[in-house]
Amino acid sequence: MDNPDGDLKSQLLLVAEQADKAAFAALFHHFAPRIRGYGLRHLGSEANALELVQETMLLVWQKARLYHPDKGAPTTWIYTVMRNQCFDMLRRRRASKEDLCAEELWPVLEFKAEEEHLSDGEGAVLTSQMAHHLATLPEAQQQVVRGIYLQELSQQELADLLGVPLGTIKSRLRLALQKLKEQVEQHHD
């Protein structure tokens, strides 16, 4: 094999033009270990690395017709698909981690189910100590915490209600929960 890139190019073109399964199998065999290695380095687990292999090669199969040999080597094109897929996976994980962070943190914040309730009815959800911590937050962050946890609005509903972008709600919630967590940890030390 003097020119492995040439073979890869012809295989990718066969996939693009004829949906050639044998050519795709050869591409998969060549790229899967490399994509897996990249996935292990960037995504941190075997399961995620294998998901990256599957997702990348599925896109290669579906989008092979978008490859133009005159614009670059097949390896460059496939690695670009892989990197984009990896970024998408990291973004999704980060987004779900923010949601998880909020869900995991709230029970930590309801650390004492004290019997005394607040007069306005929030006491059923917030302890007086929690209410004290909440009151130290900037008003915008208090609004978001109350909307999400007391009024049980979705982040999108709250964004619509307040007339701000969804990203603003996510940022305010993340900041508020971080501050509350720090206060709770300091209070317990």
Side-chain angles (χ1 to χ4, degrees), residues 63-83:
K63 298 182 181 237
R65 69 189 180 288
L66 301 176
Y67 168 68
H68 298 293
D70 52 327
K71 291 188 178 166
T75 47
T76 307
W77 186 79
I78 291 176
Y79 288 150
T80 300
V81 171
M82 171 194 71
R83 277 193 298 277

Side-chain angles (χ1 to χ4, degrees), residues 13 22 25 30-31 33 37 40 45 57 59 73 91 98 104 130 133 141 149 151 153-154 160 177 180 184:
L13 289 172
H30 178 84
F31 284 103
L40 282 172
S45 81
M57 294 311 293
L59 285 169
R91 259 197 303 275
E98 284 171 13
E104 289 166 4
M130 193 61 234
H133 290 315
Q141 291 175 16
Y149 292 105
Q151 297 162 16
L153 298 170
S154 73
D160 295 343
L177 292 172
L180 289 169
V184 169

